[in-house]
Amino acid sequence: MADDSESAGARAERRARFQPASGMVTPRFSGLASFMRLPVLDPAEAVGEGAGEGAGLVEIGLIGIPFDGTTTNRPGARLGPRAVREASTGTRALNHATGVAPYALAACADLGDVPINPVDAAETAQRIEAFYRPLAEAGIVPLTVGGDHFITYPVLRALGAARPLGLIHIDAHSDTDDAQYGGSRLTHGTPFRRAVEAGLLDPRRCIQIGIRGSMDAADERDWALAQGMRILTMEEVCARGLPEVAAEARAVVGEGPTYLSFDIDALDPAFAPGTGTPEIGGFTTREALHLLRALRGLDLVGADVVEVAPPLDSAGITALAGAGIAFEILCLLAERVAARG
Ligand code: MN
Ligand code: MN
């Protein structure tokens, strides 16, 4: 543990080393675009010396997974990490609403993109899991930008290997299909079914928020409910209001380790047109920010923002939403890192 091996002063020094480039020194539109203008660090270097929480050189790693090979409708999310990096150069160091200064609370770096195989989902899954396992062992909390939603399953294979996780899943879709196109079990419509089947998620500690739109078949919903997963449809979200929704999410996941997954199509297409499977009647970006801010204090062990598809975007609006939501989630993760020392 960091507390045993490193003084508070040394920890502060390490965190001070990993600051985003200041927009007061070099303009935000200049230079190479990393996530949040953070230093770029090789994953092997990030893992550092030992194992266990606090053993890594950094505490939070921002990672791109430019893979959309299991998209069932309109492709383009492979370009999400690059566009979100670019849009994220506008995010600054202090959250005006919560007062959280994430880079003062946790050493953060851009760990680059996972070296995926764009034409092989199974091999890509192996590469993602292999990329995340050493990070998990070093206690580095990953914040991932996809990529289609399939990528969450191999990430969970690394993060949930030691014990099943809780899940807060904000999405228009449950992504709990069994198979698509006559037998494909690894798609962006199946990651949470695979993760529950593999024991990576505790279904009774899983909540899906904002689910709406039409389904191919009721099995996607009925299977999830039969496992004990909680589905808060958008209709229920509207009827009950965000404070109650957040309270229920907190109650479902409790105090145990939890993963947060944000599909950008949870937002209404008016706020996120650049995504493969848009559904009308979604969250505004403002509602999404308020919902995330109501999730402070949970034991979040990782998170992702997926399904930003720049070729379908208008004026970068969806990449901007993805970057802003990633920053909001980064603030949650940084507070959690700081709370644990
Ligand atoms: Mn979706
Ligand atoms: Mn999804």
Side-chain angles (χ1 to χ4, degrees), residues 50-84:
E53 190 162 332
L57 181 58
V58 295
E59 293 158 303
I60 297 175
L62 289 90
I63 300 152
I65 305 186
F67 179 78
D68 64 5
T70 71
T71 301
T72 54
N73 194 357
R74 308 185 300 168
R78 67 178 58 182
L79 299 174
R82 186 163 282 186
V84 172

Side-chain angles (χ1 to χ4, degrees), residues 131-339:
F131 189 103
Y132 280 73
R133 268 192 187 271
L135 302 179
E137 282 160 13
I140 297 171
V141 178
L143 172 52
T144 304
V145 174
D148 73 41
H149 218 155
F150 166 69
I151 62 102
T152 303
Y153 170 54
V155 170
L156 289 173
R157 286 187 68 85
L159 298 188
R163 68 277 180 260
L165 303 173
L167 174 73
I168 297 177
H169 171 202
I170 304 171
D171 198 329
H173 314 97
S174 283
D175 296 344
T176 48
D177 272 321
D178 187 29
Q180 295 183 290
Y181 296 100
S184 295
R185 290 163 59 81
L186 299 180
T187 82
H188 75 154
T190 66
F192 299 105
R193 187 140 170 175
R194 294 292 91 82
V196 168
E197 287 171 345
L200 308 168
L201 294 172
D202 175 355
R204 288 152 304 169
R205 292 185 54 235
C206 292
I207 184 166
Q208 306 184 308
I209 303 172
I211 308 303
R212 63 187 189 275
S214 50
M215 290 182 287
D216 287 313
D219 172 69
E220 178 180 16
R221 175 194 61 210
D222 294 346
W223 182 88
L225 293 174
Q227 307 310 305
M229 299 171 78
R230 177 78 171 101
I231 298 177
L232 268 179
T233 64
M234 188 53 91
E235 290 71 24
E236 200 169 349
V237 169
C238 290
R240 295 176 58 194
L242 291 178
E244 267 192 46
V245 167
E248 178 155 7
R250 303 178 75 92
V252 167
V253 301
E255 293 183 356
T258 297
Y259 192 82
L260 172 60
S261 190
F262 194 106
D263 184 327
I264 206 71
D265 70 29
L267 300 178
D268 191 87
F271 298 89
T275 194
T277 317
E279 304 284 354
I280 62 168
F283 287 110
T284 67
T285 45
R286 185 164 59 198
E287 287 166 342
L289 294 176
H290 287 194
L291 176 58
L292 291 169
R293 288 170 190 158
L295 300 178
R296 294 171 73 182
L298 299 176
D299 184 15
L300 296 176
V301 298
D304 60 46
V305 180
V306 297
E307 299 283 358
V308 173
L312 303 167
D313 208 359
S314 300
I317 185 173
T318 313
L320 183 65
I325 282 163
F327 177 76
E328 207 62 46
I329 293 173
L330 178 63
C331 290
L332 297 175
L333 300 178
E335 274 195 298
R336 182 265 189 185
V337 165

